[in-house]
Amino acid sequence: MKRSLVLTGALVTAAIAGDTSVRIAAQPRAKKPRAATAQMVPQFQYDKTFPKPLPNQWKLGHVAGVTVDARDHVWIIQRPTSLKNSEMEATDLSVYGAVGANPGSAASNANGGVANVGGAGRGPLALCCRPAPPVIEFDHQGNVIQAWGGASRMNEYEWPTPAPKSPDASLGTGNFGERGIYVDSKDNVWIGADGPGDAQALKFTRFGRLLFQIGKHGKSGGSNDIDNLNGAAGFVVDTKNNELFVADGLRNRRVIVFDAYSGKYKRHWGAYGKKPDDSVAMKQYQPDVKHPQFGDVHGITLSRDGLLYVCDRVNNRVQVFKTDGTFVTEGAVAPKTLGGSAYDIALSADPGQRFAYVVDGMNQKVWILDRRSLETVGSFGHGGHAGGAFDAANVIATDSNGNIYVGETWESKRVQRFLYKGLGAATP
């Protein structure tokens, strides 16, 4: 299910007419007056100029990953096959054949790896739109620099498997397929996969040439399989030790570490740094911020002082580890949210990285946490389709200026930028 009843107690400030600023909502603290707990928190303003209109009548599908490289260029990975027929009416649907076409076929590869769209024999219906390629690089101003990705024509790698197309041509796909993107300091691009049977991750050059693949589609042996993944959702590289940390993920319940140069396995762990156990059942819509196992390892990032922050989405928590897997601490995020609140995490750009930002696709917020205590000190965002609102907030990243980027799935299918405006008082 996309939505469930939200039981969080966050306060949202009404927007002032004509003001595009995102106001910060302070979280209530029991039995303490506001004056005694006031804290300066980051302030953000929605940036309607980012991104610029896409070229070639391109349209985005589900944005399932966002990252910022050393140039402050913004990268996304999106799912072309998640678009409905009605969202890509400039596409010559006749080249794809009937619903259920093979996504690796020549017809599919003719337009960015898109398949299963139906409409055979009709041709383009309008000037707009057509699916964008899966991987897109934007410059800081929001212009498209390059785009690439899709099924390999030479079978040199296994591109993420798209979710099955709905038999109803007016619908897209489920929320699966391409998942997570990270550009490391050497301009390597890491891509995850959580489609049906996906147990792989891919490493490319910045221009889309494959370097190597970790894992094989259909080969996962669970959370203690050291050769394969199972729904890899996020990545971060420790450049000091040349180690890749993977949030693995949608079906597995662990963090796994590989050598970033060779892809060789190094170690893995579950919640609290313990061995993951897939036999422990998770109860749907019953989050447990003290559960001995991860429920859904959905986001991951590394601080400058060497701490690894891991989002357990369905258990509404962030756990912190040393890079060797030693558990350090944890914090709850909107803990009464039945559908899961801790989707992805990014850190503030100040030298000490004082704040952590957790994107929440159920409450449609970005929660602001004190990075040391993991206490929620503020938030911004609200539900809606207008610019600056969220409908399916899913992934988050920050740039060197402290600006925030949020990617959305389901019906929103977009990436938005929120400009950092300095510190200010959290508003009640």
Side-chain angles (χ1 to χ4, degrees):
M1 293 179 63
K2 178 187 171 190
R3 299 282 186 268
S4 64
L5 180 62
V6 176
L7 300 178
T8 181
L11 302 177
V12 181
T13 300
I16 301 174
D19 183 5
T20 60
S21 298
V22 178
R23 306 296 293 169
I24 305 301
Q27 303 312 301
R29 303 179 187 182
K31 301 181 181 179
K32 290 185 179 181
R34 172 60 55 191
T37 59
Q39 180 172 348
M40 302 290 279
V41 300
Q43 309 286 308
F44 295 92
Q45 183 182 67
Y46 167 61
D47 181 5
K48 66 181 181 180
T49 71
F50 186 95
K52 297 292 192 295
L54 300 179
N56 307 317
Q57 297 294 330
W58 285 345
K59 182 174 283 189
L60 299 180
H62 298 159
V63 177
V66 60
T67 189
V68 179
D69 68 15
R71 300 170 176 83
D72 264 352
H73 285 192
V74 180
W75 295 69
I76 66 169
I77 189 165
Q78 59 94 25
R79 301 177 180 131
T81 55
S82 67
L83 290 170
K84 308 170 187 177
N85 285 7
S86 60
E87 293 177 302
M88 49 182 179
E89 292 180 325
T91 302
D92 184 354
L93 301 181
S94 65
V95 304
Y96 297 113
V99 170
N102 179 1
S105 67
S108 168
N109 288 329
N111 200 359
V114 181
N116 303 342
V117 297
R122 292 191 299 176
L125 300 180
L127 295 177
C128 183
C129 294
R130 53 178 56 89
V135 176
I136 304 178
E137 176 188 1
F138 300 92
D139 66 17
H140 190 68
Q141 289 70 44
N143 302 297
V144 172
I145 299 299
Q146 62 163 335
W148 49 265
S152 170
R153 300 185 185 191
M154 303 299 293
N155 296 319
E156 60 179 337
Y157 57 81
E158 295 172 314
W159 189 258
T161 307
K165 195 75 176 180
S166 170
D168 184 343
S170 67
L171 301 178
T173 65
N175 200 9
F176 303 99
E178 293 87 348
R179 168 82 74 165
I181 187 170
Y182 179 77
V183 180
D184 66 27
S185 63
K186 302 182 186 303
D187 281 340
N188 301 306
V189 182
W190 301 87
I191 290 171
D194 70 348
D198 282 345
Q200 74 274 20
L202 304 166
K203 180 183 181 182
F204 293 94
T205 67
R206 69 176 293 111
F207 301 112
R209 179 176 64 84
L210 179 74
L211 296 173
F212 60 75
Q213 176 174 320
I214 298 173
K216 296 289 291 182
H217 176 88
K219 298 296 184 181
S220 176
S223 292
N224 291 297
D225 180 348
I226 65 173
D227 296 316
N228 299 284
L229 306 169
N230 200 359
F235 308 89
V236 68
V237 171
D238 177 5
T239 56
K240 179 180 178 181
N241 297 304
N242 300 313
E243 291 184 333
L244 170 72
F245 295 82
V246 184
D248 180 42
L250 186 70
R251 294 178 289 269
N252 278 345
R253 304 162 75 174
R254 65 179 178 181
V255 173
I256 187 167
V257 188
F258 298 94
D259 182 274
Y261 286 159
S262 66
K264 181 180 178 181
Y265 166 82
K266 301 192 77 170
R267 59 192 176 278
H268 72 277
W269 66 85
Y272 299 102
K274 306 297 184 181
K275 182 178 179 180
D277 185 355
D278 292 337
S279 70
V280 178
M282 292 294 299
K283 297 180 179 179
Q284 190 175 25
Y285 303 123
Q286 294 189 36
D288 181 357
V289 296
K290 295 295 182 181
H291 200 288
Q293 299 293 324
F294 281 134
D296 179 354
V297 189
H298 199 262
I300 193 167
T301 196
L302 183 68
S303 65
R304 297 189 186 108
D305 55 5
L307 294 176
L308 196 71
Y309 291 76
V310 179
C311 286
D312 183 357
R313 177 172 63 173
V314 299
N315 283 320
N316 302 342
R317 63 184 175 181
V318 174
Q319 291 201 335
V320 186
F321 302 89
K322 297 180 180 179
T323 54
D324 64 1
T326 301
F327 174 74
V328 176
T329 189
E330 67 181 348
V333 179
K336 294 183 179 181
T337 305
L338 299 185
S341 63
Y343 277 54
D344 196 11
I345 187 167
L347 303 179
S348 58
D350 56 284
Q353 296 181 304
R354 179 180 171 188
F355 299 98
Y357 307 121
V358 175
V359 67
D360 178 349
M362 292 303 296
N363 296 305
Q364 306 309 332
K365 286 185 174 295
V366 172
W367 300 103
I368 302 173
L369 279 58
D370 180 286
R371 183 172 74 88
R372 296 295 183 182
S373 67
L374 296 183
E375 179 185 8
T376 299
V377 294
S379 71
F380 69 84
H382 61 277
H385 290 281
F390 302 126
D391 177 65
N394 187 60
V395 288
I396 191 169
T398 51
D399 65 22
S400 66
N401 296 311
N403 304 316
I404 283 178
Y405 301 82
V406 175
E408 296 180 72
T409 59
W410 293 111
E411 293 304 311
S412 286
K413 302 184 178 93
R414 62 184 174 180
V415 59
Q416 300 189 87
R417 177 160 69 188
F418 297 85
L419 299 175
Y420 175 66
K421 306 304 288 185
L423 296 178
T427 56

